[in-house]
mmCIF file with all atom_site columns, all heavy atoms in Angstrom:
data_model
loop_
_atom_site.group_PDB
_atom_site.id
_atom_site.type_symbol
_atom_site.label_atom_id
_atom_site.label_alt_id
_atom_site.label_comp_id
_atom_site.label_asym_id
_atom_site.label_entity_id
_atom_site.label_seq_id
_atom_site.pdbx_PDB_ins_code
_atom_site.Cartn_x
_atom_site.Cartn_y
_atom_site.Cartn_z
_atom_site.occupancy
_atom_site.B_iso_or_equiv
_atom_site.pdbx_formal_charge
_atom_site.auth_seq_id
_atom_site.auth_comp_id
_atom_site.auth_asym_id
_atom_site.auth_atom_id
_atom_site.pdbx_PDB_model_num
ATOM 1   N N   . CYS A 1 124 ? 11.568  15.483 -3.618 1.00 91.00 ? 124 CYS A N   1
ATOM 2   C CA  . CYS A 1 124 ? 10.436  16.243 -4.171 1.00 91.00 ? 124 CYS A CA  1
ATOM 3   C C   . CYS A 1 124 ? 9.495   15.321 -4.954 1.00 91.00 ? 124 CYS A C   1
ATOM 4   O O   . CYS A 1 124 ? 8.262   15.433 -4.841 1.00 91.00 ? 124 CYS A O   1
ATOM 5   C CB  . CYS A 1 124 ? 10.948  17.363 -5.070 1.00 91.00 ? 124 CYS A CB  1
ATOM 6   S SG  . CYS A 1 124 ? 11.701  18.747 -4.177 1.00 91.00 ? 124 CYS A SG  1
ATOM 7   N N   . LEU A 1 125 ? 10.055  14.430 -5.756 1.00 91.00 ? 125 LEU A N   1
ATOM 8   C CA  . LEU A 1 125 ? 9.228   13.487 -6.512 1.00 91.00 ? 125 LEU A CA  1
ATOM 9   C C   . LEU A 1 125 ? 8.476   12.544 -5.583 1.00 91.00 ? 125 LEU A C   1
ATOM 10  O O   . LEU A 1 125 ? 7.308   12.209 -5.829 1.00 91.00 ? 125 LEU A O   1
ATOM 11  C CB  . LEU A 1 125 ? 10.100  12.694 -7.483 1.00 91.00 ? 125 LEU A CB  1
ATOM 12  C CG  . LEU A 1 125 ? 10.666  13.471 -8.677 1.00 91.00 ? 125 LEU A CG  1
ATOM 13  C CD1 . LEU A 1 125 ? 11.641  12.601 -9.466 1.00 91.00 ? 125 LEU A CD1 1
ATOM 14  C CD2 . LEU A 1 125 ? 9.549   13.954 -9.588 1.00 91.00 ? 125 LEU A CD2 1
ATOM 15  N N   . THR A 1 126 ? 9.142   12.098 -4.514 1.00 91.00 ? 126 THR A N   1
ATOM 16  C CA  . THR A 1 126 ? 8.493   11.220 -3.554 1.00 91.00 ? 126 THR A CA  1
ATOM 17  C C   . THR A 1 126 ? 7.315   11.921 -2.883 1.00 91.00 ? 126 THR A C   1
ATOM 18  O O   . THR A 1 126 ? 6.218   11.347 -2.748 1.00 91.00 ? 126 THR A O   1
ATOM 19  C CB  . THR A 1 126 ? 9.495   10.761 -2.476 1.00 91.00 ? 126 THR A CB  1
ATOM 20  O OG1 . THR A 1 126 ? 10.576  10.064 -3.105 1.00 91.00 ? 126 THR A OG1 1
ATOM 21  C CG2 . THR A 1 126 ? 8.832   9.851  -1.461 1.00 91.00 ? 126 THR A CG2 1
ATOM 22  N N   . ILE A 1 127 ? 7.506   13.154 -2.491 1.00 94.00 ? 127 ILE A N   1
ATOM 23  C CA  . ILE A 1 127 ? 6.431   13.927 -1.858 1.00 94.00 ? 127 ILE A CA  1
ATOM 24  C C   . ILE A 1 127 ? 5.273   14.137 -2.830 1.00 94.00 ? 127 ILE A C   1
ATOM 25  O O   . ILE A 1 127 ? 4.095   13.995 -2.464 1.00 94.00 ? 127 ILE A O   1
ATOM 26  C CB  . ILE A 1 127 ? 6.972   15.277 -1.349 1.00 94.00 ? 127 ILE A CB  1
ATOM 27  C CG1 . ILE A 1 127 ? 7.922   15.041 -0.164 1.00 94.00 ? 127 ILE A CG1 1
ATOM 28  C CG2 . ILE A 1 127 ? 5.836   16.209 -0.944 1.00 94.00 ? 127 ILE A CG2 1
ATOM 29  C CD1 . ILE A 1 127 ? 8.685   16.284 0.269  1.00 94.00 ? 127 ILE A CD1 1
ATOM 30  N N   . ALA A 1 128 ? 5.596   14.473 -4.087 1.00 95.00 ? 128 ALA A N   1
ATOM 31  C CA  . ALA A 1 128 ? 4.540   14.672 -5.081 1.00 95.00 ? 128 ALA A CA  1
ATOM 32  C C   . ALA A 1 128 ? 3.717   13.409 -5.275 1.00 95.00 ? 128 ALA A C   1
ATOM 33  O O   . ALA A 1 128 ? 2.486   13.457 -5.415 1.00 95.00 ? 128 ALA A O   1
ATOM 34  C CB  . ALA A 1 128 ? 5.166   15.109 -6.407 1.00 95.00 ? 128 ALA A CB  1
ATOM 35  N N   . LEU A 1 129 ? 4.384   12.272 -5.282 1.00 94.00 ? 129 LEU A N   1
ATOM 36  C CA  . LEU A 1 129 ? 3.690   10.996 -5.471 1.00 94.00 ? 129 LEU A CA  1
ATOM 37  C C   . LEU A 1 129 ? 2.790   10.674 -4.275 1.00 94.00 ? 129 LEU A C   1
ATOM 38  O O   . LEU A 1 129 ? 1.671   10.166 -4.435 1.00 94.00 ? 129 LEU A O   1
ATOM 39  C CB  . LEU A 1 129 ? 4.725   9.886  -5.665 1.00 94.00 ? 129 LEU A CB  1
ATOM 40  C CG  . LEU A 1 129 ? 4.316   8.671  -6.509 1.00 94.00 ? 129 LEU A CG  1
ATOM 41  C CD1 . LEU A 1 129 ? 3.717   9.093  -7.832 1.00 94.00 ? 129 LEU A CD1 1
ATOM 42  C CD2 . LEU A 1 129 ? 5.514   7.777  -6.721 1.00 94.00 ? 129 LEU A CD2 1
ATOM 43  N N   . LEU A 1 130 ? 3.265   10.987 -3.082 1.00 96.00 ? 130 LEU A N   1
ATOM 44  C CA  . LEU A 1 130 ? 2.449   10.764 -1.892 1.00 96.00 ? 130 LEU A CA  1
ATOM 45  C C   . LEU A 1 130 ? 1.174   11.612 -1.931 1.00 96.00 ? 130 LEU A C   1
ATOM 46  O O   . LEU A 1 130 ? 0.078   11.133 -1.602 1.00 96.00 ? 130 LEU A O   1
ATOM 47  C CB  . LEU A 1 130 ? 3.255   11.086 -0.635 1.00 96.00 ? 130 LEU A CB  1
ATOM 48  C CG  . LEU A 1 130 ? 4.347   10.080 -0.249 1.00 96.00 ? 130 LEU A CG  1
ATOM 49  C CD1 . LEU A 1 130 ? 5.261   10.661 0.834  1.00 96.00 ? 130 LEU A CD1 1
ATOM 50  C CD2 . LEU A 1 130 ? 3.745   8.767  0.225  1.00 96.00 ? 130 LEU A CD2 1
ATOM 51  N N   . TRP A 1 131 ? 1.299   12.849 -2.356 1.00 96.00 ? 131 TRP A N   1
ATOM 52  C CA  . TRP A 1 131 ? 0.122   13.722 -2.421 1.00 96.00 ? 131 TRP A CA  1
ATOM 53  C C   . TRP A 1 131 ? -0.823  13.303 -3.541 1.00 96.00 ? 131 TRP A C   1
ATOM 54  O O   . TRP A 1 131 ? -2.047  13.365 -3.377 1.00 96.00 ? 131 TRP A O   1
ATOM 55  C CB  . TRP A 1 131 ? 0.557   15.175 -2.585 1.00 96.00 ? 131 TRP A CB  1
ATOM 56  C CG  . TRP A 1 131 ? 0.948   15.785 -1.278 1.00 96.00 ? 131 TRP A CG  1
ATOM 57  C CD1 . TRP A 1 131 ? 2.205   15.968 -0.779 1.00 96.00 ? 131 TRP A CD1 1
ATOM 58  C CD2 . TRP A 1 131 ? 0.047   16.240 -0.262 1.00 96.00 ? 131 TRP A CD2 1
ATOM 59  N NE1 . TRP A 1 131 ? 2.158   16.512 0.473  1.00 96.00 ? 131 TRP A NE1 1
ATOM 60  C CE2 . TRP A 1 131 ? 0.847   16.703 0.818  1.00 96.00 ? 131 TRP A CE2 1
ATOM 61  C CE3 . TRP A 1 131 ? -1.337  16.318 -0.155 1.00 96.00 ? 131 TRP A CE3 1
ATOM 62  C CZ2 . TRP A 1 131 ? 0.290   17.229 1.984  1.00 96.00 ? 131 TRP A CZ2 1
ATOM 63  C CZ3 . TRP A 1 131 ? -1.897  16.835 1.000  1.00 96.00 ? 131 TRP A CZ3 1
ATOM 64  C CH2 . TRP A 1 131 ? -1.093  17.285 2.056  1.00 96.00 ? 131 TRP A CH2 1
ATOM 65  N N   . LEU A 1 132 ? -0.273  12.860 -4.656 1.00 93.00 ? 132 LEU A N   1
ATOM 66  C CA  . LEU A 1 132 ? -1.125  12.385 -5.745 1.00 93.00 ? 132 LEU A CA  1
ATOM 67  C C   . LEU A 1 132 ? -1.949  11.183 -5.293 1.00 93.00 ? 132 LEU A C   1
ATOM 68  O O   . LEU A 1 132 ? -3.171  11.119 -5.526 1.00 93.00 ? 132 LEU A O   1
ATOM 69  C CB  . LEU A 1 132 ? -0.265  12.002 -6.949 1.00 93.00 ? 132 LEU A CB  1
ATOM 70  C CG  . LEU A 1 132 ? -1.012  11.351 -8.126 1.00 93.00 ? 132 LEU A CG  1
ATOM 71  C CD1 . LEU A 1 132 ? -2.017  12.320 -8.727 1.00 93.00 ? 132 LEU A CD1 1
ATOM 72  C CD2 . LEU A 1 132 ? -0.017  10.882 -9.199 1.00 93.00 ? 132 LEU A CD2 1
ATOM 73  N N   . SER A 1 133 ? -1.292  10.225 -4.640 1.00 92.00 ? 133 SER A N   1
ATOM 74  C CA  . SER A 1 133 ? -2.000  9.028  -4.176 1.00 92.00 ? 133 SER A CA  1
ATOM 75  C C   . SER A 1 133 ? -3.040  9.368  -3.116 1.00 92.00 ? 133 SER A C   1
ATOM 76  O O   . SER A 1 133 ? -4.073  8.701  -3.000 1.00 92.00 ? 133 SER A O   1
ATOM 77  C CB  . SER A 1 133 ? -0.999  8.003  -3.631 1.00 92.00 ? 133 SER A CB  1
ATOM 78  O OG  . SER A 1 133 ? -0.319  8.512  -2.500 1.00 92.00 ? 133 SER A OG  1
ATOM 79  N N   . THR A 1 134 ? -2.778  10.403 -2.338 1.00 94.00 ? 134 THR A N   1
ATOM 80  C CA  . THR A 1 134 ? -3.738  10.839 -1.325 1.00 94.00 ? 134 THR A CA  1
ATOM 81  C C   . THR A 1 134 ? -4.968  11.463 -1.979 1.00 94.00 ? 134 THR A C   1
ATOM 82  O O   . THR A 1 134 ? -6.110  11.153 -1.615 1.00 94.00 ? 134 THR A O   1
ATOM 83  C CB  . THR A 1 134 ? -3.083  11.857 -0.376 1.00 94.00 ? 134 THR A CB  1
ATOM 84  O OG1 . THR A 1 134 ? -2.009  11.216 0.320  1.00 94.00 ? 134 THR A OG1 1
ATOM 85  C CG2 . THR A 1 134 ? -4.085  12.398 0.630  1.00 94.00 ? 134 THR A CG2 1
ATOM 86  N N   . LEU A 1 135 ? -4.757  12.319 -2.961 1.00 92.00 ? 135 LEU A N   1
ATOM 87  C CA  . LEU A 1 135 ? -5.877  12.988 -3.623 1.00 92.00 ? 135 LEU A CA  1
ATOM 88  C C   . LEU A 1 135 ? -6.753  11.994 -4.368 1.00 92.00 ? 135 LEU A C   1
ATOM 89  O O   . LEU A 1 135 ? -7.984  12.139 -4.393 1.00 92.00 ? 135 LEU A O   1
ATOM 90  C CB  . LEU A 1 135 ? -5.350  14.054 -4.585 1.00 92.00 ? 135 LEU A CB  1
ATOM 91  C CG  . LEU A 1 135 ? -4.627  15.244 -3.928 1.00 92.00 ? 135 LEU A CG  1
ATOM 92  C CD1 . LEU A 1 135 ? -4.050  16.175 -4.990 1.00 92.00 ? 135 LEU A CD1 1
ATOM 93  C CD2 . LEU A 1 135 ? -5.586  16.004 -3.011 1.00 92.00 ? 135 LEU A CD2 1
ATOM 94  N N   . VAL A 1 136 ? -6.151  10.968 -4.968 1.00 90.00 ? 136 VAL A N   1
ATOM 95  C CA  . VAL A 1 136 ? -6.931  9.949  -5.669 1.00 90.00 ? 136 VAL A CA  1
ATOM 96  C C   . VAL A 1 136 ? -7.873  9.238  -4.704 1.00 90.00 ? 136 VAL A C   1
ATOM 97  O O   . VAL A 1 136 ? -9.000  8.871  -5.067 1.00 90.00 ? 136 VAL A O   1
ATOM 98  C CB  . VAL A 1 136 ? -6.001  8.937  -6.369 1.00 90.00 ? 136 VAL A CB  1
ATOM 99  C CG1 . VAL A 1 136 ? -6.796  7.760  -6.924 1.00 90.00 ? 136 VAL A CG1 1
ATOM 100 C CG2 . VAL A 1 136 ? -5.225  9.617  -7.495 1.00 90.00 ? 136 VAL A CG2 1
ATOM 101 N N   . ASN A 1 137 ? -7.445  9.060  -3.470 1.00 90.00 ? 137 ASN A N   1
ATOM 102 C CA  . ASN A 1 137 ? -8.269  8.376  -2.473 1.00 90.00 ? 137 ASN A CA  1
ATOM 103 C C   . ASN A 1 137 ? -9.521  9.159  -2.103 1.00 90.00 ? 137 ASN A C   1
ATOM 104 O O   . ASN A 1 137 ? -10.455 8.590  -1.519 1.00 90.00 ? 137 ASN A O   1
ATOM 105 C CB  . ASN A 1 137 ? -7.453  8.082  -1.214 1.00 90.00 ? 137 ASN A CB  1
ATOM 106 C CG  . ASN A 1 137 ? -6.827  6.708  -1.235 1.00 90.00 ? 137 ASN A CG  1
ATOM 107 O OD1 . ASN A 1 137 ? -7.481  5.707  -0.992 1.00 90.00 ? 137 ASN A OD1 1
ATOM 108 N ND2 . ASN A 1 137 ? -5.540  6.660  -1.562 1.00 90.00 ? 137 ASN A ND2 1
ATOM 109 N N   . PHE A 1 138 ? -9.566  10.437 -2.412 1.00 88.00 ? 138 PHE A N   1
ATOM 110 C CA  . PHE A 1 138 ? -10.760 11.220 -2.131 1.00 88.00 ? 138 PHE A CA  1
ATOM 111 C C   . PHE A 1 138 ? -11.966 10.716 -2.912 1.00 88.00 ? 138 PHE A C   1
ATOM 112 O O   . PHE A 1 138 ? -13.101 11.041 -2.589 1.00 88.00 ? 138 PHE A O   1
ATOM 113 C CB  . PHE A 1 138 ? -10.515 12.695 -2.457 1.00 88.00 ? 138 PHE A CB  1
ATOM 114 C CG  . PHE A 1 138 ? -9.676  13.422 -1.443 1.00 88.00 ? 138 PHE A CG  1
ATOM 115 C CD1 . PHE A 1 138 ? -9.116  12.757 -0.361 1.00 88.00 ? 138 PHE A CD1 1
ATOM 116 C CD2 . PHE A 1 138 ? -9.426  14.777 -1.561 1.00 88.00 ? 138 PHE A CD2 1
ATOM 117 C CE1 . PHE A 1 138 ? -8.337  13.418 0.577  1.00 88.00 ? 138 PHE A CE1 1
ATOM 118 C CE2 . PHE A 1 138 ? -8.656  15.455 -0.632 1.00 88.00 ? 138 PHE A CE2 1
ATOM 119 C CZ  . PHE A 1 138 ? -8.111  14.770 0.440  1.00 88.00 ? 138 PHE A CZ  1
ATOM 120 N N   . ALA A 1 139 ? -11.723 9.911  -3.957 1.00 84.00 ? 139 ALA A N   1
ATOM 121 C CA  . ALA A 1 139 ? -12.822 9.401  -4.780 1.00 84.00 ? 139 ALA A CA  1
ATOM 122 C C   . ALA A 1 139 ? -13.672 8.379  -4.044 1.00 84.00 ? 139 ALA A C   1
ATOM 123 O O   . ALA A 1 139 ? -14.817 8.129  -4.435 1.00 84.00 ? 139 ALA A O   1
ATOM 124 C CB  . ALA A 1 139 ? -12.276 8.795  -6.072 1.00 84.00 ? 139 ALA A CB  1
#
Side-chain angles (χ1 to χ4, degrees):
C124 287
L125 290 173
T126 300
I127 291 171
L129 209 50
L130 287 168
W131 279 100
L132 174 64
S133 63
T134 297
L135 294 175
V136 172
N137 267 282
F138 284 4

